[in-house]
Amino acid sequence: MTYAQLAAELAALETRGLRRQRRMLESPQGAHAVVDGRDVIAFCSNNYLGLASDPRLAAAAREGIARYGVGAGASHLILGHMSAHHALEEELARCLGLPRALLFSNGYMANIGIVTALAGRGDAVFGDKLNHASLNDAALLSRADFKRYAHGDMEALARLLEKSRARRKLVVSDAVFSMDGDLAPVPELLRLCELHDAWLVLDDAHGFGVLGAAGGGVLEHYGMVSPRIVYMATLGKAAGVFGAFAAGAPEVIETLVQRARPYIYTTASPPLLAHALLASLGIIRTEGWRRERLAQHVFSLKQQLVTGPWRLLSSETAIQPLVTGSSESALRVAAALAERGLLVPAIRPPTVPRGGSRLRISLSAAHTEDDVNKLVSALNEIGQAA
Ligand SMILES: *Cc1c(COP(=O)(O)O)cnc(C)c1O
């Protein structure tokens, strides 16, 4: 592999409209932001409740620094497990009504840890085709037999489970699909797992804090509990900080402590984050108006776009994808919006299937009604011109 080969591959990405560009955010994350020197309204973040720049979380982080310093200095199993981490784990378990929770550095690492600790050679992992990349990478890394079923196709999953002779079976699924915004049929997933004696790993990255009356996520939304469910969510999205956790039966969590390599072989996260997250959990639980406001924005966007030239995928969550088809068309619409000071990311392959390029509109409680109306007017204008 020479430099020239890499340069040619990069040039090919460019011509296919697949080269990614980073924008630079010069203000705190929020609905109104300064990006590359310009004031914009952003519909790009996973900051669903508007907590990423909440002054109370910043104050809690400062208090965390005063109390614990900045670095954990060691991994959890050596001497990095600090009282801030421990308090957060206990509070997460209590809020979710699950026996035990375990903190990971981030969601990517949590998924790698959970799947590789629970499945190995001779086992089987079953995953929805639209699952997050981290769940797919985790399944590959586990060396278990990895079977993928068409998005949401419970009959296909049932057939795969029935045929499988694997020692241990693990069904893994996004709870809210990150690029489509739709919910997994969790009750049916659980029924199949019970029928075929499989574990169910649910990745609630986009549901935790958002779904359920108290923000408890997908389990609260469906009113479900089961010792078979290994629940996982990130703390860098609705919770506004950084990190992730797994929660479930004590035996599962203790297995992760003993076997999950991304838990064991890494420095514990800065305790100030755990301390800030404790404050975040309180806000998530008590400030239900944030979820109501977000739901209002979702309703308003969907209702206003129904009559225009664009079609949204059917999603009830903060993730509202507007599929344009080709990468070029997604980029064109995103650029036209950007000219008007509205940032919406164009999502292209390999993140979504070929022909499924889209604008991924993310709404947040931080948006105002006026922000949403501006986006609708701009989309209608661009749609008419096209
Ligand atoms: C964002 C995301 C992750 C990764 O979480 P991080 O904490 O950002 O590493 C995992 N799964 C899904 C579905 C996600 O959307």
Side-chain angles (χ1 to χ4, degrees), residues 51-62 238-241 272 275-281 283:
L51 295 179
S53 59
D54 191 289
R56 292 166 293 176
L57 297 197
R62 280 192 296 273
V241 187
L272 66 105
H275 200 66
L277 281 160
L278 271 176
S280 174
L281 292 187
I283 296 173

mmCIF file of all heavy atoms in Angstrom, residues 51-62 238-241 272 275-281 283:
data_model
loop_
_atom_site.group_PDB
_atom_site.id
_atom_site.type_symbol
_atom_site.label_atom_id
_atom_site.label_comp_id
_atom_site.label_asym_id
_atom_site.label_seq_id
_atom_site.Cartn_x
_atom_site.Cartn_y
_atom_site.Cartn_z
ATOM 1 N N LEU A 51 -29.445 19.165 27.157
ATOM 2 C CA LEU A 51 -28.684 19.181 28.406
ATOM 3 C C LEU A 51 -27.180 19.357 28.223
ATOM 4 O O LEU A 51 -26.463 19.610 29.197
ATOM 5 C CB LEU A 51 -28.958 17.890 29.204
ATOM 6 C CG LEU A 51 -30.405 17.722 29.693
ATOM 7 C CD1 LEU A 51 -30.566 16.412 30.454
ATOM 8 C CD2 LEU A 51 -30.820 18.901 30.563
ATOM 9 N N ALA A 52 -26.684 19.222 26.977
ATOM 10 C CA ALA A 52 -25.225 19.225 26.777
ATOM 11 C C ALA A 52 -24.571 20.507 27.293
ATOM 12 O O ALA A 52 -23.420 20.486 27.724
ATOM 13 C CB ALA A 52 -24.890 19.022 25.296
ATOM 14 N N SER A 53 -25.306 21.620 27.234
ATOM 15 C CA SER A 53 -24.702 22.878 27.703
ATOM 16 C C SER A 53 -25.463 23.433 28.905
ATOM 17 O O SER A 53 -25.402 24.628 29.192
ATOM 18 C CB SER A 53 -24.684 23.889 26.562
ATOM 19 O OG SER A 53 -26.015 24.114 26.120
ATOM 20 N N ASP A 54 -26.164 22.559 29.612
ATOM 21 C CA ASP A 54 -26.936 23.021 30.784
ATOM 22 C C ASP A 54 -25.980 23.502 31.889
ATOM 23 O O ASP A 54 -25.068 22.774 32.282
ATOM 24 C CB ASP A 54 -27.809 21.874 31.301
ATOM 25 C CG ASP A 54 -28.817 22.349 32.339
ATOM 26 O OD1 ASP A 54 -28.393 22.685 33.478
ATOM 27 O OD2 ASP A 54 -30.012 22.397 32.020
ATOM 28 N N PRO A 55 -26.187 24.712 32.372
ATOM 29 C CA PRO A 55 -25.262 25.256 33.392
ATOM 30 C C PRO A 55 -25.241 24.428 34.677
ATOM 31 O O PRO A 55 -24.221 24.389 35.357
ATOM 32 C CB PRO A 55 -25.801 26.668 33.662
ATOM 33 C CG PRO A 55 -27.062 26.815 32.901
ATOM 34 C CD PRO A 55 -27.211 25.687 31.946
ATOM 35 N N ARG A 56 -26.336 23.741 34.991
ATOM 36 C CA ARG A 56 -26.331 22.926 36.213
ATOM 37 C C ARG A 56 -25.396 21.725 36.067
ATOM 38 O O ARG A 56 -24.782 21.275 37.034
ATOM 39 C CB ARG A 56 -27.750 22.455 36.541
ATOM 40 C CG ARG A 56 -28.666 23.606 36.951
ATOM 41 C CD ARG A 56 -30.108 23.188 36.948
ATOM 42 N NE ARG A 56 -30.570 22.905 35.594
ATOM 43 C CZ ARG A 56 -31.786 22.446 35.303
ATOM 44 N NH1 ARG A 56 -32.650 22.189 36.259
ATOM 45 N NH2 ARG A 56 -32.137 22.231 34.052
ATOM 46 N N LEU A 57 -25.311 21.195 34.832
ATOM 47 C CA LEU A 57 -24.387 20.074 34.615
ATOM 48 C C LEU A 57 -22.943 20.573 34.641
ATOM 49 O O LEU A 57 -22.054 19.898 35.155
ATOM 50 C CB LEU A 57 -24.681 19.363 33.296
ATOM 51 C CG LEU A 57 -26.059 18.699 33.179
ATOM 52 C CD1 LEU A 57 -26.067 17.697 32.032
ATOM 53 C CD2 LEU A 57 -26.464 18.018 34.458
ATOM 54 N N ALA A 58 -22.726 21.754 34.070
ATOM 55 C CA ALA A 58 -21.377 22.330 34.108
ATOM 56 C C ALA A 58 -20.957 22.569 35.559
ATOM 57 O O ALA A 58 -19.820 22.285 35.948
ATOM 58 C CB ALA A 58 -21.346 23.629 33.312
ATOM 59 N N ALA A 59 -21.896 23.067 36.387
ATOM 60 C CA ALA A 59 -21.584 23.307 37.805
ATOM 61 C C ALA A 59 -21.274 21.985 38.508
ATOM 62 O O ALA A 59 -20.341 21.901 39.322
ATOM 63 C CB ALA A 59 -22.754 24.015 38.489
ATOM 64 N N ALA A 60 -22.049 20.945 38.183
ATOM 65 C CA ALA A 60 -21.804 19.634 38.799
ATOM 66 C C ALA A 60 -20.436 19.096 38.374
ATOM 67 O O ALA A 60 -19.723 18.485 39.178
ATOM 68 C CB ALA A 60 -22.915 18.653 38.417
ATOM 69 N N ALA A 61 -20.068 19.329 37.116
ATOM 70 C CA ALA A 61 -18.749 18.881 36.650
ATOM 71 C C ALA A 61 -17.647 19.595 37.429
ATOM 72 O O ALA A 61 -16.666 18.973 37.839
ATOM 73 C CB ALA A 61 -18.607 19.135 35.148
ATOM 74 N N ARG A 62 -17.828 20.892 37.651
ATOM 75 C CA ARG A 62 -16.822 21.649 38.425
ATOM 76 C C ARG A 62 -16.742 21.136 39.860
ATOM 77 O O ARG A 62 -15.659 20.986 40.418
ATOM 78 C CB ARG A 62 -17.157 23.148 38.420
ATOM 79 C CG ARG A 62 -16.729 23.843 37.127
ATOM 80 C CD ARG A 62 -16.808 25.359 37.258
ATOM 81 N NE ARG A 62 -18.165 25.830 37.470
ATOM 82 C CZ ARG A 62 -19.038 26.101 36.481
ATOM 83 N NH1 ARG A 62 -18.652 25.973 35.225
ATOM 84 N NH2 ARG A 62 -20.251 26.506 36.749
ATOM 85 N N ALA A 238 -29.073 11.992 25.016
ATOM 86 C CA ALA A 238 -30.040 12.777 25.801
ATOM 87 C C ALA A 238 -29.455 13.223 27.143
ATOM 88 O O ALA A 238 -29.731 14.316 27.624
ATOM 89 C CB ALA A 238 -31.321 11.984 26.015
ATOM 90 N N ALA A 239 -28.621 12.378 27.761
ATOM 91 C CA ALA A 239 -28.094 12.707 29.089
ATOM 92 C C ALA A 239 -27.077 13.847 29.032
ATOM 93 O O ALA A 239 -26.717 14.414 30.063
ATOM 94 C CB ALA A 239 -27.480 11.470 29.749
ATOM 95 N N GLY A 240 -26.602 14.161 27.839
ATOM 96 C CA GLY A 240 -25.840 15.394 27.640
ATOM 97 C C GLY A 240 -24.377 15.376 28.051
ATOM 98 O O GLY A 240 -23.730 16.426 27.993
ATOM 99 N N VAL A 241 -23.844 14.242 28.469
ATOM 100 C CA VAL A 241 -22.457 14.265 28.952
ATOM 101 C C VAL A 241 -21.588 13.332 28.102
ATOM 102 O O VAL A 241 -21.235 13.662 26.966
ATOM 103 C CB VAL A 241 -22.373 13.928 30.463
ATOM 104 C CG1 VAL A 241 -20.958 14.113 30.984
ATOM 105 C CG2 VAL A 241 -23.320 14.839 31.258
ATOM 106 N N LEU A 272 -15.434 13.368 37.147
ATOM 107 C CA LEU A 272 -16.270 14.562 37.016
ATOM 108 C C LEU A 272 -17.444 14.288 36.072
ATOM 109 O O LEU A 272 -18.523 14.872 36.224
ATOM 110 C CB LEU A 272 -15.445 15.754 36.504
ATOM 111 C CG LEU A 272 -14.885 15.668 35.084
ATOM 112 C CD1 LEU A 272 -15.690 16.562 34.148
ATOM 113 C CD2 LEU A 272 -13.436 16.071 35.063
ATOM 114 N N HIS A 275 -20.054 12.492 38.043
ATOM 115 C CA HIS A 275 -20.677 13.437 38.969
ATOM 116 C C HIS A 275 -21.679 14.334 38.222
ATOM 117 O O HIS A 275 -22.793 14.564 38.700
ATOM 118 C CB HIS A 275 -19.603 14.278 39.663
ATOM 119 C CG HIS A 275 -20.085 14.919 40.922
ATOM 120 N ND1 HIS A 275 -20.448 14.194 42.037
ATOM 121 C CD2 HIS A 275 -20.289 16.224 41.236
ATOM 122 C CE1 HIS A 275 -20.845 15.025 42.985
ATOM 123 N NE2 HIS A 275 -20.766 16.261 42.519
ATOM 124 N N ALA A 276 -21.304 14.794 37.038
ATOM 125 C CA ALA A 276 -22.227 15.595 36.231
ATOM 126 C C ALA A 276 -23.434 14.755 35.813
ATOM 127 O O ALA A 276 -24.570 15.249 35.772
ATOM 128 C CB ALA A 276 -21.511 16.137 35.000
ATOM 129 N N LEU A 277 -23.185 13.483 35.529
ATOM 130 C CA LEU A 277 -24.287 12.612 35.092
ATOM 131 C C LEU A 277 -25.303 12.363 36.200
ATOM 132 O O LEU A 277 -26.497 12.193 35.930
ATOM 133 C CB LEU A 277 -23.724 11.288 34.557
ATOM 134 C CG LEU A 277 -23.193 11.406 33.125
ATOM 135 C CD1 LEU A 277 -22.231 10.281 32.788
ATOM 136 C CD2 LEU A 277 -24.358 11.446 32.121
ATOM 137 N N LEU A 278 -24.845 12.356 37.442
ATOM 138 C CA LEU A 278 -25.797 12.219 38.554
ATOM 139 C C LEU A 278 -26.792 13.373 38.518
ATOM 140 O O LEU A 278 -27.996 13.180 38.706
ATOM 141 C CB LEU A 278 -25.046 12.235 39.885
ATOM 142 C CG LEU A 278 -24.559 10.900 40.421
ATOM 143 C CD1 LEU A 278 -23.758 11.122 41.699
ATOM 144 C CD2 LEU A 278 -25.739 9.956 40.690
ATOM 145 N N ALA A 279 -26.277 14.582 38.252
ATOM 146 C CA ALA A 279 -27.163 15.753 38.144
ATOM 147 C C ALA A 279 -28.076 15.593 36.931
ATOM 148 O O ALA A 279 -29.272 15.912 36.982
ATOM 149 C CB ALA A 279 -26.328 17.024 38.035
ATOM 150 N N SER A 280 -27.525 15.087 35.849
ATOM 151 C CA SER A 280 -28.321 14.894 34.634
ATOM 152 C C SER A 280 -29.493 13.937 34.870
ATOM 153 O O SER A 280 -30.609 14.186 34.412
ATOM 154 C CB SER A 280 -27.411 14.368 33.511
ATOM 155 O OG SER A 280 -28.173 14.040 32.388
ATOM 156 N N LEU A 281 -29.231 12.843 35.592
ATOM 157 C CA LEU A 281 -30.314 11.877 35.851
ATOM 158 C C LEU A 281 -31.466 12.533 36.602
ATOM 159 O O LEU A 281 -32.642 12.249 36.332
ATOM 160 C CB LEU A 281 -29.795 10.675 36.652
ATOM 161 C CG LEU A 281 -28.815 9.733 35.946
ATOM 162 C CD1 LEU A 281 -28.553 8.507 36.819
ATOM 163 C CD2 LEU A 281 -29.344 9.316 34.585
ATOM 164 N N ILE A 283 -32.350 15.697 36.442
ATOM 165 C CA ILE A 283 -33.059 16.583 35.507
ATOM 166 C C ILE A 283 -33.918 15.750 34.543
ATOM 167 O O ILE A 283 -35.065 16.099 34.258
ATOM 168 C CB ILE A 283 -32.050 17.460 34.730
ATOM 169 C CG1 ILE A 283 -31.321 18.396 35.704
ATOM 170 C CG2 ILE A 283 -32.755 18.249 33.638
ATOM 171 C CD1 ILE A 283 -30.179 19.196 35.075
#
